[in-house]
C-alpha cells in the first residue's frame, strides 16, 4: 500500500511538471498583454479551465498582420484588428488589443481552432436569420473606402456576415465593420449586407454609400461640375491638382485660396470661377515711332458666359471716350502721341451693370528713332584705316529703346555677334583684312522684337608697310659722291598712309620735314667741303608720330688736285715729241764741230748740247770701244759724228 501511494505521488508530480512545461512552451509569435493572461492561457492549455481557446479568444481583441487569419477569426466571433508587421507591438502596448498573433502562432491557433470540438448545435426550432441593424442608412466618405457599421445578432450565433463589394469585414462581438471602396461619382450607391446564423438561416439588409466632397455641401455637385471647377482653379494658378472630378483636400485648398468663405453652393462657385477666367488684353499694332498708335483690345471668355457687355478705356486717369459695346470681336483704339511721349491706359471689361469683370493696363510710348554712334581712333569719314590686325570700335545707341541690342558682322561669315545694350558703350573688337585689302563692317540697332531700327556700315582698310624710295643722279648704293656743291635727291613713298610725314636730316643738325601728299619731292642737299663725308638720314612717320621706315645715306665730296686736263696734255706732248725728234735738221740746239786738238795724242772729249744729251768726238780709226756715262734722268739719244764724211750715224 505504501508503494502504491508513492507511485501515485510520482505520477502526479511528473504530470504537473509536464503540464507546467507545456503551459510555458508557447509558440513563437504569440504575445500576451500581461502575466494574468499568460497564466489563464497556460491553465486553459493544461486542461485546468473550462474555457476553451475559442471562448478565450472571443473575450480578447486580437491583433494580427494576416488578413486571411483575421477573416478566419471574425467568422468565429473573435474581434480582430489588422495591423502591419511593425505596428502590432505598438498596438499591444497602447491597449488597442490584448493579444498579438503573428508568424508561427497563426498556424498554431488556426490548427487548434480547426480541431476543436464544435459548439453544441442548438435546437432546430430557429428559422429566422440574424438581425441586421446598421447604425445609419447612408454611409459617406470623401476618399478611399467607406466603413459600413452594423450590429448583427442571432440566438444561435452569427456564423458569417458580408456585403457586396466589401474588401474587409471586421467583427467586434456583435458589431461588424465592413469596408467598401467608394464609387467615382457623387451619386448614392446601394449596398446589400448579408448575414447567416449557425443554423444556416440567412438575412439581408440594404444600405447606401456615397462619396462626398472634402469641403462644401454634398448636394448640387457632380463629377462634370467638379472637373470644370478643378480646371478653372488650375487655370487661375491656384493649383487644384489632378483634374479627376473628385473634390479632395488639394481641391478644397485651392477653393479656399480663391474664396476664403466656406463653400455653400457649388453652382455659384462654378459661375464665379467662370467669370474669374474672363480676361481682357490690349496689344499695340503700330510701329513705336508712328505718330498715331493703334491698340487692339480683345476679350477672352473661356466658359462662354457672355457676361462682358461693355469696354471702357481710361487714359491718364480719365475716361478717354464713351464705353464701347463688346460684341465678341476685337475693338481698335487710336491714340496720337508726340515723339518721346508716354500715355498710361487702362481697359475694363464690364457686365450689364457696369461691374468690372476684368482689367488690364498698358503704357503707350512713342519712341524716338534709335541712332548708332561709332567711334574709333582710326575712324575717318566712315572709313577705318589701320595697320594692325584688329581695331576696337565703341558703339553707342542714341535714344535707345528698352531691351534694345546691337548686332555686328563683317565680310567674314564667322564674325557675327550680338549684345544687349545697357546704357553704356559697347566695345567691339573687329578683325582687319589682310594688308592692302579692304572689307566692310555693318552695325545694327535691333529692338526687342528683332526689328532693325538703325544701320551703319564702315569700310575697313588694312595698311601695308610704308617703304621709302630714293633717287639721285650720283647715288651708288648708299653713297652720293659729287664735286658739285649741291646734290639733288628725289624722295617718294610706297604704300603711303594718311597723315604720313617725311623728314630729311643732315649731319650738321639741319632737317627738312613735310607731309606726304602722294607726290614725289625733290630735295636739294648741300654737299660737304672737299674731302669730307657727311651722313644723311631720311625717315617716314605715321600720323601718330611712330617711325615706319628710314634710309641712311653718305654724302662724299672729293679733295682738290691738278686740273683734270693736265695729265692727258702731258701724255699727248710726249707722244708728239717722240714722233718729231728723229726728223733731219730738227736740232735747234745742236753745237758746232770742235776743231782737232793740236796735241799728238788723241784725247776724246765730251761736251753737252742744250738738250743735255752728250756728244762724243774721236778719230775714226781710234774708236774701238766707246764708254758712255749718262747723268741720271738725262736723255739717252746718242749721235756719233765722223769728220771724214760729216755724216751722222746712230
Amino acid at each position: 500500500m505504501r508503494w502504491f501511494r508513492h507511485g501515485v505521488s510520482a505520477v502526479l508530480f511528473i504530470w504537473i511538471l509536464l503540464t507546467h512545461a507545456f503551459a510555458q512552451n508557447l509558440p513563437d509569435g504569440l504575445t500576451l498583454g500581461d502575466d494574468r493572461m499568460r497564466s489563464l492561457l497556460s491553465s486553459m492549455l493544461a486542461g485546468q479551465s473550462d474555457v476553451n481557446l475559442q471562448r478565450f479568444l472571443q473575450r480578447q481583441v486580437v491583433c494580427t498582420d494576416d488578413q486571411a487569419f483575421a477573416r478566419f477569426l471574425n467568422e468565429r466571433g473573435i474581434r480582430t484588428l489588422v495591423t502591419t508587421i511593425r505596428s502590432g507591438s505598438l498596438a499591444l502596448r497602447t491597449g488597442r488589443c490584448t493579444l498579438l498573433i503573428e508568424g508561427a502562432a497563426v498556424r498554431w491557433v488556426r490548427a487548434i481552432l480547426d480541431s476543436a470540438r464544435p459548439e453544441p448545435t442548438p435546437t432546430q426550432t430557429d428559422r429566422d436569420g440574424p438581425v441586421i441593424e446598421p447604425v445609419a442608412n447612408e454611409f459617406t466618405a470623401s476618399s478611399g473606402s467607406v466603413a459600413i457599421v452594423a450590429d448583427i445578432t442571432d440566438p444561435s450565433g452569427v456564423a458569417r456576415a458580408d456585403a457586396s463589394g466589401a474588401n474587409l469585414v471586421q467583427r467586434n462581438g456583435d458589431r461588424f465593420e465592413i469596408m467598401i471602396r467608394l464609387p467615382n461619382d457623387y451619386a448614392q450607391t446601394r449596398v446589400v449586407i448579408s448575414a447567416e446564423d449557425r443554423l444556416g438561416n440567412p438575412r439581408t439588409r440594404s444600405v447606401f454609400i456615397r462619396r462626398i466632397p472634402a469641403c462644401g455641401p454634398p448636394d448640387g455637385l457632380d463629377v462634370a461640375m467638379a472637373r470644370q471647377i478643378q480646371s478653372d482653379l488650375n487655370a487661375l494658378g491656384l493649383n487644384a491638382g489632378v483634374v479627376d472630378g473628385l473634390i479632395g483636400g488639394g481641391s478644397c485648398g485651392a477653393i479656399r485660396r480663391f474664396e476664403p468663405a466656406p463653400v455653400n453652393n457649388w453652382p455659384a462657385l462654378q459661375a464665379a470661377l467662370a467669370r474669374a477666367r474672363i480676361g481682357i488684353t490690349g496689344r499695340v499694332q503700330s510701329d513705336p515711332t508712328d505718330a498715331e498708335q493703334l491698340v487692339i483690345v480683345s476679350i477672352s471668355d473661356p466658359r462662354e458666359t457672355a457676361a462682358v457687355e461693355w469696354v471702357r478705356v481710361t487714359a491718364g486717369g480719365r475716361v478717354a471716350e464713351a464705353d464701347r459695346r463688346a460684341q465678341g470681336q476685337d475693338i481698335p483704339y487710336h491714340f496720337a502721341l508726340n515723339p518721346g511721349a508716354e500715355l498710361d491706359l487702362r481697359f475694363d471689361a464690364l457686365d450689364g451693370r457696369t461691374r468690372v469683370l476684368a482689367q488690364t493696363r498698358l503704357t503707350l510710348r512713342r519712341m524716338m528713332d534709335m541712332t548708332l554712334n561709332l567711334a574709333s581712333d582710326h575712324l575717318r569719314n566712315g572709313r577705318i584705316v589701320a595697320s594692325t590686325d584688329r581695331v576696337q570700335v565703341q558703339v553707342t545707341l542714341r535714344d535707345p529703346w528698352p531691351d534694345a541690342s546691337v548686332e555686328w558682322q563683317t565680310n567674314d561669315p564667322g564674325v557675327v555677334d550680338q549684345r544687349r545694350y545697357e546704357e553704356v558703350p559697347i566695345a567691339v573688337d573687329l578683325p582687319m583684312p589682310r594688308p592692302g585689302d579692304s572689307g566692310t563692317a555693318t552695325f545694327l540697332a535691333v529692338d526687342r522684337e528683332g526689328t532693325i531700327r538703325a544701320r551703319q556700315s564702315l569700310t575697313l582698310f588694312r595698311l601695308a608697310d610704308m617703304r621709302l624710295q630714293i633717287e639721285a643722279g650720283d647715288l651708288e648704293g648708299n653713297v652720293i659722291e659729287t664735286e658739285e656743291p649741291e646734290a639733288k635727291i628725289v624722295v617718294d613713298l610706297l604704300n603711303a598712309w594718311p597723315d604720313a610725314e617725311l623728314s630729311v636730316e643732315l649731319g650738321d643738325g639741319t632737317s627738312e620735314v613735310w607731309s606726304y601728299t602722294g607726290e614725289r619731292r625733290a630735295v636739294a642737299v648741300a654737299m660737304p667741303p672737299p674731302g669730307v663725308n657727311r651722313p644723311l638720314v631720311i625717315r617716314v612717320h605715321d600720323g601718330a608720330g611712330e617711325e615706319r621706315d628710314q634710309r641712311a645715306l653718305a654724302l662724299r665730296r672729293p679733295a682738290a688736285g691738278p686740273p683734270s686736263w693736265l695729265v692727258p696734255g702731258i701724255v699727248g706732248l710726249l707722244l708728239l715729241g717722240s714722233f718729231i725728234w728723229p726728223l733731219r735738221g730738227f736740232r735747234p740746239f745742236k753745237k758746232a764741230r770742235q776743231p782737232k786738238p793740236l796735241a799728238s795724242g788723241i784725247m776724246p772729249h765730251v761736251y753737252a748740247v742744250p738738250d743735255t744729251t752728250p756728244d762724243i768726238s774721236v778719230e775714226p780709226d781710234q774708236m774701238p770701244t766707246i764708254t758712255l756715262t749718262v747723268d741720271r734722268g738725262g736723255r739717252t739719244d746718242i749721235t756719233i759724228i765722223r769728220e771724214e764724211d760729216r755724216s751722222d750715224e746712230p
Side-chain angles (χ1 to χ4, degrees):
M1 191 66 180
R2 185 179 61 180
W3 291 105
F4 176 77
R5 289 196 304 270
H6 287 307
V8 171
S9 300
V11 171
L12 290 175
F13 178 74
I14 293 173
W15 180 77
I16 292 173
L17 289 178
L18 292 175
T19 302
H20 179 72
F22 175 78
Q24 296 298 324
N25 189 18
L26 299 178
D28 293 336
L30 182 62
T31 306
L32 302 174
D34 51 32
D35 293 338
R36 183 183 62 82
M37 290 184 59
R38 178 180 294 274
S39 176
L40 181 60
L41 181 60
S42 299
S43 301
M44 180 194 64
L45 296 177
Q48 299 175 2
S49 174
D50 295 335
V51 180
N52 59 17
L53 181 59
Q54 180 170 333
R55 290 185 179 179
F56 172 78
L57 294 177
Q58 288 176 346
R59 300 174 183 176
Q60 314 299 325
V61 178
V62 179
C63 287
T64 183
D65 58 356
D66 191 331
Q67 292 190 2
F69 181 61
R71 188 183 297 274
F72 173 80
L73 295 179
N74 286 333
E75 292 175 355
R76 286 159 175 76
I78 300 172
R79 291 175 295 177
T80 307
L81 178 63
V82 180
T83 63
T84 61
I85 296 176
R86 297 183 179 180
S87 63
S89 299
L90 179 62
L92 184 64
R93 290 196 301 270
T94 57
R96 296 179 61 190
C97 58
T98 58
L99 184 63
L100 176 61
I101 302 176
E102 56 187 359
V106 172
R107 297 187 296 274
W108 182 76
V109 172
R110 181 186 286 270
I112 293 177
L113 294 180
D114 285 339
S115 62
R117 185 176 58 184
E119 296 291 328
T121 304
T123 60
Q124 297 297 325
T125 57
D126 188 2
R127 294 288 185 264
D128 296 329
V131 177
I132 303 175
E133 296 180 355
V135 298
N137 189 43
E138 183 183 58
F139 296 89
T140 61
S142 60
S143 63
S145 299
V146 61
I148 299 176
V149 181
D151 293 327
I152 304 176
T153 60
D154 190 89
S156 64
V158 179
R160 182 186 60 81
D162 203 350
S164 55
N167 51 25
L168 180 64
V169 178
Q170 294 183 344
R171 180 176 181 179
N172 188 2
D174 294 334
R175 174 154 292 190
F176 288 78
E177 185 175 302
I178 304 171
M179 304 299 296
I180 298 179
R181 186 75 179 174
L182 284 171
N184 290 328
D185 55 36
Y186 295 98
Q188 281 188 340
T189 302
R190 183 171 176 269
V191 176
V192 177
I193 302 174
S194 61
E196 186 177 295
D197 62 12
R198 292 185 180 277
L199 300 178
N201 299 315
R203 178 163 292 186
T204 59
R205 175 72 181 270
S206 296
V207 294
F208 294 92
I209 62 172
R210 183 182 182 186
R211 178 187 290 272
I212 62 173
C215 58
D219 299 325
L221 179 67
D222 55 27
V223 174
M225 182 184 296
R227 287 180 181 274
Q228 180 175 324
I229 290 173
Q230 290 173 327
S231 178
D232 290 343
L233 290 171
N234 287 335
L236 295 172
L238 299 175
N239 190 19
V242 179
V243 179
D244 55 4
L246 305 178
I247 303 296
S251 299
C252 289
I255 292 172
R256 285 190 293 270
R257 287 188 289 272
F258 172 74
E259 187 177 88
V263 179
N264 53 20
N265 190 317
W266 292 107
L269 175 63
Q270 181 184 21
L273 288 170
R275 292 165 66 92
R277 291 194 61 184
I278 293 175
I280 182 172
T281 58
R283 61 186 185 277
V284 181
Q285 291 292 96
S286 56
D287 190 87
T289 59
D290 291 346
E292 186 176 73
Q293 298 291 305
L294 173 63
V295 179
I296 302 297
V297 176
S298 302
I299 303 296
S300 62
D301 188 3
R303 296 302 179 191
E304 299 180 354
T305 62
V308 179
E309 296 187 15
W310 303 95
V311 175
R312 177 178 297 169
V313 58
T314 303
R318 296 184 300 178
V319 177
E321 58 180 72
D323 297 344
R324 297 191 189 183
R325 181 172 292 279
Q327 298 177 351
Q329 298 178 350
D330 294 341
I331 304 175
Y333 289 89
H334 298 272
F335 302 92
L337 293 177
N338 295 323
E342 292 184 358
L343 182 63
D344 292 329
L345 301 175
R346 190 188 74 196
F347 297 94
D348 298 326
L350 310 177
D351 62 6
R353 293 188 291 176
T354 66
R355 293 178 301 183
V356 177
L357 301 179
Q359 185 180 95
T360 186
R361 295 179 180 273
L362 178 67
T363 298
L364 202 59
R365 179 184 302 167
R366 183 181 175 187
M367 306 300 297
M368 303 286 288
D369 290 331
M370 285 192 293
T371 56
L372 282 164
N373 291 333
L374 307 179
S376 176
D377 295 337
H378 308 280
L379 180 60
R380 300 289 187 279
N381 300 323
R383 180 181 173 91
I384 291 182
V385 180
S387 61
T388 57
D389 57 351
R390 305 187 77 85
V391 295
Q392 189 177 84
V393 179
Q394 298 287 332
V395 184
T396 306
L397 281 182
R398 183 179 178 183
D399 300 322
W401 295 9
D403 300 327
S405 60
V406 175
E407 295 182 6
W408 60 90
Q409 59 185 0
T410 65
N411 300 97
D412 186 355
V415 183
V416 178
D417 203 352
Q418 180 179 10
R419 194 175 303 173
R420 182 177 176 181
Y421 190 74
E422 297 179 350
E423 303 296 336
V424 294
I426 298 175
V428 178
D429 196 26
L430 289 179
M432 294 292 289
R434 293 180 300 179
D437 290 346
S438 62
T440 304
T442 303
F443 295 84
L444 306 174
V446 184
D447 61 16
R448 70 176 67 179
E449 286 79 20
T451 304
I452 298 175
R453 295 296 176 178
R455 181 193 301 266
Q456 188 168 343
S457 297
L458 298 178
T459 300
L460 307 178
F461 181 76
R462 176 85 175 271
L463 293 170
D465 293 336
M466 291 188 290
R467 292 289 179 265
L468 284 167
Q469 189 174 29
I470 309 298
E471 296 180 4
D474 302 309
L475 178 62
E476 292 184 4
N478 290 328
V479 177
I480 297 177
E481 184 174 0
T482 180
E483 294 180 354
E484 300 296 330
E486 189 177 80
K488 184 178 180 181
I489 302 174
V490 178
V491 182
D492 199 2
L493 188 60
L494 300 179
N495 303 323
W497 296 4
D499 301 331
E501 191 175 74
L502 296 169
S503 64
V504 177
E505 302 175 3
L506 298 175
D508 58 359
T510 62
S511 63
E512 182 176 352
V513 181
W514 73 95
S515 296
Y516 185 74
T517 59
E519 298 180 355
R520 306 171 60 181
R521 181 162 182 169
V523 180
V525 180
M527 295 297 291
V532 178
N533 292 341
R534 179 181 296 166
L536 176 69
V537 181
I538 303 174
R539 305 178 190 272
V540 57
H541 296 81
D542 59 15
E546 183 177 354
E547 182 178 302
R548 293 295 178 177
D549 194 15
Q550 70 164 351
R551 180 83 177 271
L553 304 176
L555 302 179
R556 181 180 300 168
R557 190 173 181 185
S564 59
W565 53 266
L566 182 60
V567 174
I570 294 175
V571 173
L573 288 176
L574 290 176
L575 293 175
L576 180 62
S578 65
F579 282 106
I580 66 174
W581 180 261
L583 297 179
R584 183 181 296 270
F586 186 77
R587 298 205 179 157
F589 301 104
K590 186 176 181 180
K591 292 184 179 182
R593 178 180 295 272
Q594 295 295 329
K596 292 183 180 180
L598 297 180
S600 58
I602 299 173
M603 298 294 292
H605 64 274
V606 177
Y607 59 91
V609 293
D611 59 357
T612 69
T613 301
D615 291 338
I616 301 175
S617 180
V618 294
E619 290 297 331
D621 56 347
Q622 295 182 355
M623 304 180 46
T625 303
I626 298 175
T627 301
L628 300 178
T629 302
V630 182
D631 294 335
R632 186 180 301 275
R635 292 176 59 85
T636 58
D637 296 335
I638 302 173
T639 303
I640 300 176
I641 303 173
R642 292 182 297 201
E643 293 183 353
E644 292 87 44
D645 53 6
R646 315 296 292 182
S647 61
D648 293 339
E649 184 179 352

PDB file of all heavy atoms in Angstrom, residues 384-398:
ATOM      1  N   ILE A 384      37.819 103.062 -91.646  1.00  0.00           N
ATOM      2  CA  ILE A 384      38.851 102.728 -90.662  1.00  0.00           C
ATOM      3  C   ILE A 384      40.081 102.258 -91.422  1.00  0.00           C
ATOM      4  O   ILE A 384      40.021 101.262 -92.166  1.00  0.00           O
ATOM      5  CB  ILE A 384      38.362 101.638 -89.692  1.00  0.00           C
ATOM      6  CG1 ILE A 384      37.265 102.199 -88.783  1.00  0.00           C
ATOM      7  CG2 ILE A 384      39.500 101.102 -88.850  1.00  0.00           C
ATOM      8  CD1 ILE A 384      36.740 101.216 -87.766  1.00  0.00           C
ATOM      9  N   VAL A 385      41.151 103.012 -91.276  1.00  0.00           N
ATOM     10  CA  VAL A 385      42.420 102.688 -91.925  1.00  0.00           C
ATOM     11  C   VAL A 385      43.439 102.436 -90.835  1.00  0.00           C
ATOM     12  O   VAL A 385      43.723 103.327 -90.021  1.00  0.00           O
ATOM     13  CB  VAL A 385      42.876 103.821 -92.859  1.00  0.00           C
ATOM     14  CG1 VAL A 385      44.195 103.461 -93.522  1.00  0.00           C
ATOM     15  CG2 VAL A 385      41.815 104.107 -93.913  1.00  0.00           C
ATOM     16  N   ALA A 386      43.964 101.232 -90.784  1.00  0.00           N
ATOM     17  CA  ALA A 386      44.912 100.872 -89.729  1.00  0.00           C
ATOM     18  C   ALA A 386      45.843  99.798 -90.257  1.00  0.00           C
ATOM     19  O   ALA A 386      45.538  99.088 -91.216  1.00  0.00           O
ATOM     20  CB  ALA A 386      44.180 100.383 -88.483  1.00  0.00           C
ATOM     21  N   SER A 387      46.989  99.699 -89.591  1.00  0.00           N
ATOM     22  CA  SER A 387      47.978  98.685 -89.965  1.00  0.00           C
ATOM     23  C   SER A 387      47.918  97.469 -89.061  1.00  0.00           C
ATOM     24  O   SER A 387      48.554  96.453 -89.356  1.00  0.00           O
ATOM     25  CB  SER A 387      49.380  99.289 -89.903  1.00  0.00           C
ATOM     26  OG  SER A 387      49.674  99.723 -88.565  1.00  0.00           O
ATOM     27  N   THR A 388      47.175  97.541 -87.965  1.00  0.00           N
ATOM     28  CA  THR A 388      47.098  96.431 -87.015  1.00  0.00           C
ATOM     29  C   THR A 388      46.116  95.377 -87.516  1.00  0.00           C
ATOM     30  O   THR A 388      45.292  95.641 -88.401  1.00  0.00           O
ATOM     31  CB  THR A 388      46.651  96.941 -85.638  1.00  0.00           C
ATOM     32  OG1 THR A 388      45.389  97.611 -85.778  1.00  0.00           O
ATOM     33  CG2 THR A 388      47.665  97.912 -85.073  1.00  0.00           C
ATOM     34  N   ASP A 389      46.216  94.168 -86.921  1.00  0.00           N
ATOM     35  CA  ASP A 389      45.326  93.093 -87.356  1.00  0.00           C
ATOM     36  C   ASP A 389      43.949  93.182 -86.724  1.00  0.00           C
ATOM     37  O   ASP A 389      43.022  92.515 -87.179  1.00  0.00           O
ATOM     38  CB  ASP A 389      45.947  91.732 -87.049  1.00  0.00           C
ATOM     39  CG  ASP A 389      46.277  91.574 -85.579  1.00  0.00           C
ATOM     40  OD1 ASP A 389      46.190  92.572 -84.840  1.00  0.00           O
ATOM     41  OD2 ASP A 389      46.634  90.455 -85.166  1.00  0.00           O
ATOM     42  N   ARG A 390      43.765  94.005 -85.684  1.00  0.00           N
ATOM     43  CA  ARG A 390      42.454  94.199 -85.062  1.00  0.00           C
ATOM     44  C   ARG A 390      42.330  95.658 -84.638  1.00  0.00           C
ATOM     45  O   ARG A 390      43.321  96.308 -84.280  1.00  0.00           O
ATOM     46  CB  ARG A 390      42.248  93.294 -83.838  1.00  0.00           C
ATOM     47  CG  ARG A 390      42.461  91.812 -84.115  1.00  0.00           C
ATOM     48  CD  ARG A 390      42.081  90.963 -82.920  1.00  0.00           C
ATOM     49  NE  ARG A 390      40.640  90.829 -82.792  1.00  0.00           N
ATOM     50  CZ  ARG A 390      39.913  89.914 -83.429  1.00  0.00           C
ATOM     51  NH1 ARG A 390      40.502  89.063 -84.248  1.00  0.00           N
ATOM     52  NH2 ARG A 390      38.612  89.840 -83.256  1.00  0.00           N
ATOM     53  N   VAL A 391      41.106  96.164 -84.653  1.00  0.00           N
ATOM     54  CA  VAL A 391      40.816  97.521 -84.186  1.00  0.00           C
ATOM     55  C   VAL A 391      39.602  97.463 -83.265  1.00  0.00           C
ATOM     56  O   VAL A 391      38.769  96.559 -83.364  1.00  0.00           O
ATOM     57  CB  VAL A 391      40.553  98.491 -85.349  1.00  0.00           C
ATOM     58  CG1 VAL A 391      41.779  98.664 -86.200  1.00  0.00           C
ATOM     59  CG2 VAL A 391      39.374  98.025 -86.187  1.00  0.00           C
ATOM     60  N   GLN A 392      39.497  98.408 -82.377  1.00  0.00           N
ATOM     61  CA  GLN A 392      38.374  98.465 -81.445  1.00  0.00           C
ATOM     62  C   GLN A 392      37.459  99.627 -81.815  1.00  0.00           C
ATOM     63  O   GLN A 392      37.930 100.744 -82.062  1.00  0.00           O
ATOM     64  CB  GLN A 392      38.864  98.620 -80.009  1.00  0.00           C
ATOM     65  CG  GLN A 392      37.759  98.476 -78.978  1.00  0.00           C
ATOM     66  CD  GLN A 392      38.279  98.556 -77.562  1.00  0.00           C
ATOM     67  OE1 GLN A 392      38.452  99.650 -77.020  1.00  0.00           O
ATOM     68  NE2 GLN A 392      38.520  97.404 -76.948  1.00  0.00           N
ATOM     69  N   VAL A 393      36.164  99.332 -81.832  1.00  0.00           N
ATOM     70  CA  VAL A 393      35.141 100.324 -82.161  1.00  0.00           C
ATOM     71  C   VAL A 393      34.193 100.446 -80.974  1.00  0.00           C
ATOM     72  O   VAL A 393      33.704  99.433 -80.456  1.00  0.00           O
ATOM     73  CB  VAL A 393      34.364  99.934 -83.431  1.00  0.00           C
ATOM     74  CG1 VAL A 393      33.292 100.967 -83.744  1.00  0.00           C
ATOM     75  CG2 VAL A 393      35.315  99.783 -84.614  1.00  0.00           C
ATOM     76  N   GLN A 394      33.937 101.652 -80.515  1.00  0.00           N
ATOM     77  CA  GLN A 394      32.993 101.919 -79.439  1.00  0.00           C
ATOM     78  C   GLN A 394      31.630 102.234 -80.050  1.00  0.00           C
ATOM     79  O   GLN A 394      31.498 103.177 -80.842  1.00  0.00           O
ATOM     80  CB  GLN A 394      33.476 103.093 -78.571  1.00  0.00           C
ATOM     81  CG  GLN A 394      34.796 102.853 -77.871  1.00  0.00           C
ATOM     82  CD  GLN A 394      34.657 101.873 -76.729  1.00  0.00           C
ATOM     83  OE1 GLN A 394      33.584 101.752 -76.130  1.00  0.00           O
ATOM     84  NE2 GLN A 394      35.744 101.180 -76.417  1.00  0.00           N
ATOM     85  N   VAL A 395      30.613 101.430 -79.682  1.00  0.00           N
ATOM     86  CA  VAL A 395      29.264 101.570 -80.246  1.00  0.00           C
ATOM     87  C   VAL A 395      28.338 102.147 -79.174  1.00  0.00           C
ATOM     88  O   VAL A 395      28.245 101.598 -78.066  1.00  0.00           O
ATOM     89  CB  VAL A 395      28.722 100.217 -80.748  1.00  0.00           C
ATOM     90  CG1 VAL A 395      27.367 100.404 -81.407  1.00  0.00           C
ATOM     91  CG2 VAL A 395      29.706  99.579 -81.716  1.00  0.00           C
ATOM     92  N   THR A 396      27.671 103.224 -79.505  1.00  0.00           N
ATOM     93  CA  THR A 396      26.731 103.879 -78.591  1.00  0.00           C
ATOM     94  C   THR A 396      25.392 104.045 -79.290  1.00  0.00           C
ATOM     95  O   THR A 396      25.347 104.390 -80.478  1.00  0.00           O
ATOM     96  CB  THR A 396      27.272 105.244 -78.147  1.00  0.00           C
ATOM     97  OG1 THR A 396      28.589 105.087 -77.603  1.00  0.00           O
ATOM     98  CG2 THR A 396      26.375 105.853 -77.068  1.00  0.00           C
ATOM     99  N   LEU A 397      24.303 103.783 -78.547  1.00  0.00           N
ATOM    100  CA  LEU A 397      22.950 103.988 -79.066  1.00  0.00           C
ATOM    101  C   LEU A 397      22.401 105.302 -78.532  1.00  0.00           C
ATOM    102  O   LEU A 397      22.399 105.532 -77.312  1.00  0.00           O
ATOM    103  CB  LEU A 397      22.037 102.830 -78.670  1.00  0.00           C
ATOM    104  CG  LEU A 397      22.129 101.541 -79.478  1.00  0.00           C
ATOM    105  CD1 LEU A 397      21.114 100.535 -78.971  1.00  0.00           C
ATOM    106  CD2 LEU A 397      21.919 101.805 -80.947  1.00  0.00           C
ATOM    107  N   ARG A 398      21.930 106.107 -79.422  1.00  0.00           N
ATOM    108  CA  ARG A 398      21.270 107.348 -79.018  1.00  0.00           C
ATOM    109  C   ARG A 398      19.762 107.112 -79.004  1.00  0.00           C
ATOM    110  O   ARG A 398      19.221 106.526 -79.944  1.00  0.00           O
ATOM    111  CB  ARG A 398      21.626 108.464 -79.995  1.00  0.00           C
ATOM    112  CG  ARG A 398      21.035 109.816 -79.623  1.00  0.00           C
ATOM    113  CD  ARG A 398      21.458 110.868 -80.623  1.00  0.00           C
ATOM    114  NE  ARG A 398      20.867 112.154 -80.311  1.00  0.00           N
ATOM    115  CZ  ARG A 398      21.021 113.240 -81.066  1.00  0.00           C
ATOM    116  NH1 ARG A 398      21.753 113.162 -82.176  1.00  0.00           N
ATOM    117  NH2 ARG A 398      20.454 114.375 -80.715  1.00  0.00           N
TER     118      ARG A 398
END
